[in-house]
Amino acid sequence: MKPNERIILLMGFVALAQACNADKGVVGPGGVTRIAADAVEQPLYSDWSAPVNLGPVVNSSSNDQHPSISKDGLSLYFVSNRPGGFGGNDIWVTQRATVDDPWGPPHNLGPAINTSSSDFAPDLTIDGHHLYMNSDRPGGCGGSDLYVARRQDKDDDFGWRRPENLGCAVNTTYDEAGPLFFEDEATGVQTLYFTSFNRPGGLGDFDIYVSTRSSDDELWGPGVDVTELNGPYRDTRTAIRRDGLELFISSDATGRPGGVGGQDLWVATRATTADPWSAPVNLGPTVNSTSFDGAPALSFDGTTLYFFSARPGGYG
């Protein structure tokens, strides 16, 4: 069975890693095949390739980071503090006509999404109708809150309505950031992973939390610390494979075995969506560098991993 080839793409602050797959099963960073408990054939992937910088059309001399890729692979959302924005950090999008074409010049999402505050960490849902993000704009529950924007036309990157605060059950007086939406196709349960800073009861610094609900009609409830994913220091952005069995995280290498740099990308797995996550495993020196590597975003087919990096050789 031929594995799917995996690639990585870097943003000068964004990188792309890729793997290749034509089958269904998963191989971890060390090349070990993982098989689901029910023995149903799962995707098989190769190891990740070395990251490739997305280049000077997408990246700038400013900070370009926190990517999110659309299901069709034709729109890449990211955060930048480049000139031409509305605040300290804004959300931008770059587009391409086909997956074989180069990315075009990025465009600011405009005042419907961005404010004079910091608007950050976009997460575009698979259905293309929801954009989760965090912002420290006025009127929230704490320093930084989780929001969601909606659009009717999933192909219109500039058709977003103004973001709505997710409420003061999931948001707190502390900072909430880095949302990731997942819907289990088998059960319909919706899951929101996010990170929060120095909440009481956490393991320290930023921790990863999770909130669940049964449908769009329900409000998000209080987040629960995902203790099996968190270390003693900074644990932030997440990216999940569409079957919910593989989760990539950005975590401080300090206090975790196998770290490469200050902040690395790691992967955790589980046999079913009802199971806890395994202990995160470092993606290794092919993907990670001795610099800061963070904020993974996974393509719909699971073969391309976008992230940002402060490694030498970038544009900003």
Side-chain angles (χ1 to χ4, degrees), residues 11-67:
M11 282 190 91
F13 267 52
V14 166
L16 162 77
Q18 203 159 19
C20 138
N21 181 351
D23 307 307
K24 299 187 174 180
V26 175
V27 172
V32 180
T33 304
R34 298 191 293 270
I35 301 174
D38 59 5
V40 174
E41 189 180 340
Q42 297 295 306
L44 176 66
Y45 296 104
S46 72
D47 292 342
W48 290 106
S49 69
V52 177
N53 193 294
L54 291 187
V57 173
V58 175
N59 291 308
S60 69
S61 59
S62 301
N63 286 340
D64 305 304
Q65 55 186 308
H66 288 260

Side-chain angles (χ1 to χ4, degrees), residues 163-175:
E164 299 173 7
N165 191 294
L166 296 190
C168 297
V170 65
N171 289 309
T172 68
T173 55
Y174 298 90
D175 287 330

Side-chain angles (χ1 to χ4, degrees), residues 77 109 112 150-153 155-161:
Y77 289 71
L109 289 191
R150 296 173 174 83
R151 64 180 177 184
Q152 185 171 356
D153 183 354
D155 297 318
D156 183 2
D157 286 325
F158 305 98
W160 294 105
R161 298 196 291 271

Side-chain angles (χ1 to χ4, degrees), residues 177-200:
L180 172 72
F181 177 87
F182 169 71
E183 183 168 10
D184 191 329
E185 292 183 356
T187 64
V189 172
Q190 298 178 1
T191 300
L192 188 69
Y193 292 93
F194 62 95
T195 187
S196 187
F197 183 63
N198 278 348
R199 279 197 194 189

Side-chain angles (χ1 to χ4, degrees), residues 264-311:
D264 283 357
L265 300 180
W266 308 69
V267 64
T269 59
R270 58 187 178 183
T272 75
T273 55
D275 291 318
W277 292 103
S278 68
V281 176
N282 194 283
L283 290 191
T286 299
V287 174
N288 292 306
S289 69
T290 55
S291 301
F292 191 110
D293 302 295
L298 191 65
S299 64
F300 179 72
D301 65 4
T303 66
T304 303
L305 185 69
Y306 295 82
F307 65 101
F308 77 89
S309 178
R311 64 189 65 192

